[in-house]
Amino acid sequence: MEALIMARTYNPTIILPNRTVPGPGMIDPNDRQYALRVLAEGDSWYSVGSIPTSNLLYGLGFADSTLLLNLAYPGDTIIHMSDIEQNHDLFGFLARPNYAIKWDAILLSGGGNDLIDAVQRIVLPAAASGQDPKLAASYIDTDVCAKVTQSIVSSYKTVVGIRDSVGGPNRGVPIIIHTYDYATPRDAPVSFAGLALPLGPWLYPVVKAFAGPLQLSIADLLIDTLATTLLSLDTASKSANALPAFHVVDTRGTLKRAKQGTSGDSNDWTNEIHPNHDGYSKLSSKLSPVINTLIGSK
């Protein structure tokens, strides 16, 4: 896909669902002063008003003025996002009759927490019987990993089905997702004002007993496995999992990974699994041209 080259870019005006109801200071998502309307749903890489305070959406650049409605929530999983019994906002804004809004693009960030939530079950404490203990793959429970990745695939298929509801206004509107980048297992929980919070680390406790290089290899294998799963959903992948009007941006290798043994901000990472401001800016720069090309090609 050829990226769109723009002479000027516009950062989005980001609003939350509680800013869309009628009343003073509220914003109508259909406000005509904005040329583009984008819906975002996801995890902490997208969430606003949470810890960490930076996220990928702030740095996105659009070809015209854009209103972005953000439903993201830190720690969310794609399994939860696709549960229409629980996620009323996503279903409502995508497909509910007399309520849904026509969007120009739909941005999703999901799958990372699904993997993180299962990492203690996926990573074995010792190499599987008969496997080479020097190889990262020897420490992966393939059955558990396959169940997790399949649940991620099924959940994204559900979201696409909601988007393409019969008579809905968003049938065929492009969905854009991203892979994740290579997180370094380290004792780096979320912190605020220099104080560690009871959030994380997530990978380090599971792999800390292994030799340093093996820690990285296991973590990278998990990220690659998730990326392969997500990339199989791309419309152009020719995979059996490919979904219509669904586009996956491979963000692996975008960030400079954190140094092993550090406990705070390191290179492009603010803690173990969240980029810092500079890291998110790099990710935004990678997604923006893809998003604009897809919007421009409608």
Side-chain angles (χ1 to χ4, degrees), residues 94-95 100-103 106 159-175 244-245 298:
L94 274 182
I101 293 167
K102 177 69 166 84
W103 304 100
I106 301 159
V159 174
V160 169
I162 295 170
R163 178 199 65 184
D164 292 341
S165 298
V166 175
N170 291 297
R171 291 173 63 85
V173 169
I175 290 177
K298 292 189 309 166

Side-chain angles (χ1 to χ4, degrees), residues 221-242:
L221 179 58
L222 294 173
I223 294 298
D224 285 336
T225 299
L226 177 58
T228 298
T229 300
L230 297 178
L231 288 164
S232 74
L233 302 174
D234 192 283
T235 300
S237 71
K238 298 183 180 179
S239 161
N241 292 330

Side-chain angles (χ1 to χ4, degrees), residues 16 46-53 55 58 70 74:
L16 305 180
Y46 276 6
S47 57
V48 175
S50 62
I51 299 172
T53 54
N55 72 60
Y58 284 125
N70 189 11

Side-chain angles (χ1 to χ4, degrees), residues 43-249:
D43 50 30
S44 54
W45 279 34
Y46 276 6
S47 57
V48 175
S50 62
I51 299 172
T53 54
S54 294
N55 72 60
L56 198 158
L57 300 176
Y58 284 125
L60 290 177
F62 291 89
D64 211 331
S65 59
T66 300
L67 186 66
L68 188 152
L69 176 59
N70 189 11
L71 310 179
Y73 188 81
D76 212 352
T77 63
I78 188 60
I79 293 176
H80 174 262
M81 294 175 215
S82 67
D83 184 352
I84 62 173
E85 295 299 324
Q86 299 292 326
N87 194 353
H88 301 292
D89 282 338
L90 182 61
F91 174 72
F93 285 115
L94 274 182
R96 182 173 295 140
N98 303 317
Y99 186 88
I101 293 167
K102 177 69 166 84
W103 304 100
D104 293 291
I106 301 159
L107 310 182
L108 301 177
S109 177
N113 285 320
D114 301 78
L115 186 71
I116 289 293
D117 287 352
V119 71
Q120 290 185 322
R121 294 184 289 116
I122 293 174
V123 178
L124 301 169
S129 177
Q131 300 300 308
D132 186 348
K134 296 179 182 179
L135 299 179
S138 301
Y139 299 87
I140 302 299
D141 187 319
T142 54
D143 289 338
V144 173
C145 192
K147 289 178 181 178
V148 172
T149 55
Q150 184 54 50
S151 70
I152 292 170
V153 169
S154 297
S155 298
Y156 272 116
K157 287 183 177 179
T158 298
V159 174
V160 169
I162 295 170
R163 178 199 65 184
D164 292 341
S165 298
V166 175
N170 291 297
R171 291 173 63 85
V173 169
I175 290 177
I176 302 101
I177 73 168
H178 59 83
T179 65
Y180 293 80
D181 213 331
Y182 297 114
T184 299
R186 59 197 184 106
D187 190 11
V190 175
S191 63
F192 181 73
L195 299 176
L197 301 178
L199 296 172
W202 297 264
L203 299 172
Y204 182 68
V206 179
V207 301
K208 66 180 180 180
F210 303 134
L214 193 56
Q215 291 180 14
L216 292 180
S217 298
I218 292 173
D220 289 357
L221 179 58
L222 294 173
I223 294 298
D224 285 336
T225 299
L226 177 58
T228 298
T229 300
L230 297 178
L231 288 164
S232 74
L233 302 174
D234 192 283
T235 300
S237 71
K238 298 183 180 179
S239 161
N241 292 330
L243 299 172
F246 196 93
H247 310 273
V248 186
V249 181

